[in-house]
Amino acid sequence: ISNVEVRIGTPCTFSCSVTGLTDTVTITWSGYNDPGQIQDIDVALENGKQTKKLVLSPSEVFVDKTYTCSISSFSGSAGIQEEHAKLDVYSKTEFILSIYHNVDIKINFYFSYVYFFYFLSFLYLLSKLSTC
């Protein structure tokens, strides 16, 4: 399982794979809001590997979140193993900074919600620079 970083509102896919199998296992995903907004795709056991994909629609991709892949055998003898995958969502931000003598600078950048406070600090510093 790998973490995914995507822009807000962009569909994305997580894959949970198990290798070294001789028989099928049960793989389930959890952590999503609306089951109608995801695709839960099984990939059959092939060459000792079984995969289950979680495809998130744009409406599910709006905030950082952790999804869980649970793996268990049909017989239950192997117990349940869980793996976690993190979705990091960022957005595009645009603002215009007016500086000395009405010179405007248009700034476009992307930021992750995880770094929101760093972004606010950056804006504060820019506002101090523009008053010089």
Side-chain angles (χ1 to χ4, degrees), residues 31-83:
Y32 45 84
N33 294 324
D34 183 359
Q37 296 299 316
I38 60 103
Q39 292 178 1
D40 207 353
I41 303 169
D42 277 311
V43 178
L45 177 64
E46 185 176 308
N47 296 326
K49 181 179 179 182
Q50 184 178 343
T51 301
K52 186 149 193 172
K53 294 181 179 182
L54 176 68
V55 181
L56 301 176
S57 69
S59 64
E60 277 288 313
V61 181
F62 60 91
V63 68
D64 293 352
K65 193 162 192 175
T66 300
Y67 296 92
T68 302
C69 174
S70 301
I71 304 158
S72 61
S73 68
F74 284 123
S75 64
S77 61
I80 296 177
Q81 180 180 353
E82 291 187 343
E83 297 290 332

Side-chain angles (χ1 to χ4, degrees), residues 95-113:
F95 67 93
I96 296 175
L97 177 64
S98 293
I99 59 174
Y100 187 70
H101 292 293
N102 295 324
V103 175
D104 292 339
I105 298 175
K106 185 176 179 181
I107 301 173
N108 292 310
F109 61 95
Y110 296 90
F111 74 94
S112 172
Y113 291 107

Side-chain angles (χ1 to χ4, degrees), residues 88-127:
D88 291 320
V89 179
Y90 62 87
S91 74
K92 180 180 177 184
T93 302
E94 176 180 295
F95 67 93
I96 296 175
L97 177 64
S98 293
I99 59 174
Y100 187 70
H101 292 293
N102 295 324
V103 175
D104 292 339
I105 298 175
K106 185 176 179 181
I107 301 173
N108 292 310
F109 61 95
Y110 296 90
F111 74 94
S112 172
Y113 291 107
V114 173
Y115 298 107
F116 184 68
F117 291 107
Y118 294 127
F119 170 70
L120 291 178
S121 299
F122 173 73
L123 287 179
Y124 174 76
L125 290 174
L126 283 177
S127 71

